[in-house]
Amino acid sequence: MKPWIHFLRGFVLKVLYPVLMLVGAFLKSKKADFQAYIVRLNNLLVMRDSFYPKKILLLLPHCIQNSKCDVRLTFDVYKCRGCGKCKIKDLIELAETYHISIAIATGGTIARKVVKEVKPDAIVAVACERDLSSGIVDTYPIPVIGILNERPFGPCIDTTVCLKSVEDAIKWFINRQEKQQ
């Protein structure tokens, strides 16, 4: 781990983030932009650091599941029937292909619980700006690559994600593992 990058990431997440959220409280129209900026800056710093994760977690929001699905995947993502109406089936396949853990969280408290139980060395997280930025702050110092979800039907319902972006983030962490060996 590069100490200066670790320090800079800590500064961004523990000092800059709260300052931007304070400013965002007054400039409501800019708050999501500030949160997205923190996610991008965090990703940049994570990818500049040198660490070698052994256990990777793919953490997803519950809103990525099709809202009309009969099976609620609040805890066990493997209950998915694989109908293809949402990206869950594809994300499970990615997790299985790369031998990483995968979980769905219904909110920040559950996400923190999952991280505590799984104890990953690195996380690929998918969520909206608000949940992703606060989750990255909450899990610091664990390296997290955050991927913003897409919301074609508005927030918190039938969201989606670019599978290539998720796979690229997983591969980046996997390549870190291979460099250590």
Side-chain angles (χ1 to χ4, degrees):
M1 187 176 297
K2 295 178 182 174
W4 68 273
I5 290 181
H6 185 72
F7 171 80
L8 186 56
R9 190 166 161 253
F11 179 82
V12 165
L13 299 178
K14 299 299 184 177
V15 177
L16 182 60
Y17 176 74
V19 168
L20 287 177
M21 291 307 93
L22 180 63
V23 172
F26 296 101
L27 301 173
K28 300 260 190 231
S29 65
K30 294 291 183 188
K31 192 168 186 177
D33 292 337
F34 293 155
Q35 291 163 331
Y37 173 73
I38 290 295
V39 171
R40 286 191 310 272
L41 190 53
N42 170 77
N43 290 353
L44 180 72
L45 292 170
V46 164
M47 295 177 127
R48 296 267 190 274
D49 206 347
S50 58
F51 53 87
Y52 307 98
K54 291 184 175 118
K55 191 171 193 180
I56 302 166
L57 170 64
L58 174 56
L59 188 57
L60 306 168
H62 70 96
C63 59
I64 206 155
Q65 182 184 14
N66 184 290
S67 61
K68 292 176 180 62
C69 187
D70 295 335
V71 180
R72 289 289 95 203
L73 302 176
T74 52
F75 295 104
D76 186 2
V77 70
Y78 292 100
K79 288 183 180 176
C80 175
R81 291 187 188 142
C83 69
K85 291 180 182 173
C86 66
K87 300 264 176 106
I88 299 287
K89 175 182 79 90
D90 300 318
L91 292 161
I92 290 171
E93 287 174 5
L94 277 178
E96 289 175 344
T97 298
Y98 293 103
H99 309 289
I100 65 171
S101 300
I102 183 172
I104 289 183
T106 55
T109 301
I110 299 298
R112 285 187 291 278
K113 182 180 181 220
V114 167
V115 170
K116 191 174 182 181
E117 289 173 1
V118 174
K119 295 182 172 102
D121 299 315
I123 301 169
V124 174
V126 176
C128 61
E129 292 88 351
R130 180 183 57 113
D131 291 349
L132 202 48
S133 60
S134 65
I136 289 168
V137 170
D138 290 346
T139 57
Y140 177 81
I142 299 171
V144 178
I145 294 179
I147 300 164
L148 294 171
N149 62 4
E150 299 164 14
R151 294 161 291 214
F153 304 103
C156 302
I157 188 162
D158 296 333
T159 64
T160 188
V161 68
C162 173
L163 291 172
K164 182 174 179 353
S165 296
V166 173
E167 185 171 23
D168 288 347
I170 293 168
K171 283 181 177 179
W172 189 87
F173 279 130
I174 297 286
N175 288 336
R176 299 298 309 162
Q177 286 176 338
E178 292 170 355
K179 285 184 180 179
Q180 185 185 28
Q181 296 171 354

